Amino acid sequence: MSLRYNRSNIPRARDLRKNMTDEERKLWLYCLKDLPVKFRKQKPIGNYIVDFYCSEIGVVIEIDGSQHFEQDGMSYDKKRDEYLSGLGLRVVRIPNNDIRFDFDAVRELIYNVVSEYKPH
């Protein structure tokens, strides 16, 4: 699925790819990069940049730090998730602490998400 995006987000997305958080790097290296479907890092979609995106199955994975649990962050995420869902995408949110302290459960969640989706 080809999605429109704001071209002005390209430099920021490139910077985010080069400077992934520890949690993003761990999820990428020890889970996402070896899956049978291809996830892209820091993908511009519309006016947003999502942490990980798989066009084959229409899934977005967002890694949430503490700011996502504050009122402003939750409001922003709700608007963003509604936009992405409106494009037919499933948004999976994973807190940083789950990646740090329960990585096996995170991998299992992602494997389950990937296995239940049929290619677009």
Side-chain angles (χ1 to χ4, degrees):
M1 168 189 311
S2 179
L3 299 172
R4 294 183 183 267
Y5 59 91
N6 183 336
R7 294 183 69 69
S8 67
N9 281 335
I10 292 173
R12 174 84 174 125
R14 284 184 184 138
D15 184 55
L16 290 170
R17 276 183 224 117
K18 290 178 189 173
N19 298 294
M20 287 192 293
T21 65
D22 292 342
E23 294 79 14
E24 290 169 341
R25 189 174 295 105
K26 181 176 182 177
L27 187 63
W28 176 254
L29 291 174
Y30 300 108
C31 181
L32 297 178
K33 76 178 189 76
D34 294 325
L35 291 173
V37 294
K38 183 175 183 161
F39 275 88
R40 298 190 181 279
K41 299 177 281 190
Q42 304 300 333
K43 173 73 174 150
I45 299 176
N47 288 322
Y48 302 103
I49 300 172
V50 300
D51 292 334
F52 300 99
Y53 170 63
C54 178
S55 63
E56 295 172 60
I57 59 174
V59 171
V60 168
I61 297 176
E62 287 291 303
I63 309 305
D64 291 346
S66 60
Q67 73 276 15
H68 292 270
F69 300 101
E70 297 169 2
Q71 189 57 44
D72 288 346
M74 291 187 305
S75 296
Y76 178 82
D77 288 345
K78 182 178 184 214
K79 185 172 86 169
R80 176 187 172 111
D81 290 355
E82 287 171 354
Y83 173 79
L84 295 168
S85 295
L87 297 175
L89 302 176
R90 177 177 177 187
V91 179
V92 177
R93 293 193 163 276
I94 302 171
N96 277 348
N97 282 341
D98 288 1
I99 293 174
R100 286 187 202 124
F101 303 116
D102 199 4
F103 193 65
D104 288 339
V106 169
R107 279 197 301 215
E108 184 176 343
L109 168 68
I110 292 171
Y111 294 157
N112 288 337
V113 167
V114 167
S115 68
E116 72 187 38
Y117 276 86
K118 303 289 183 230
H120 276 130

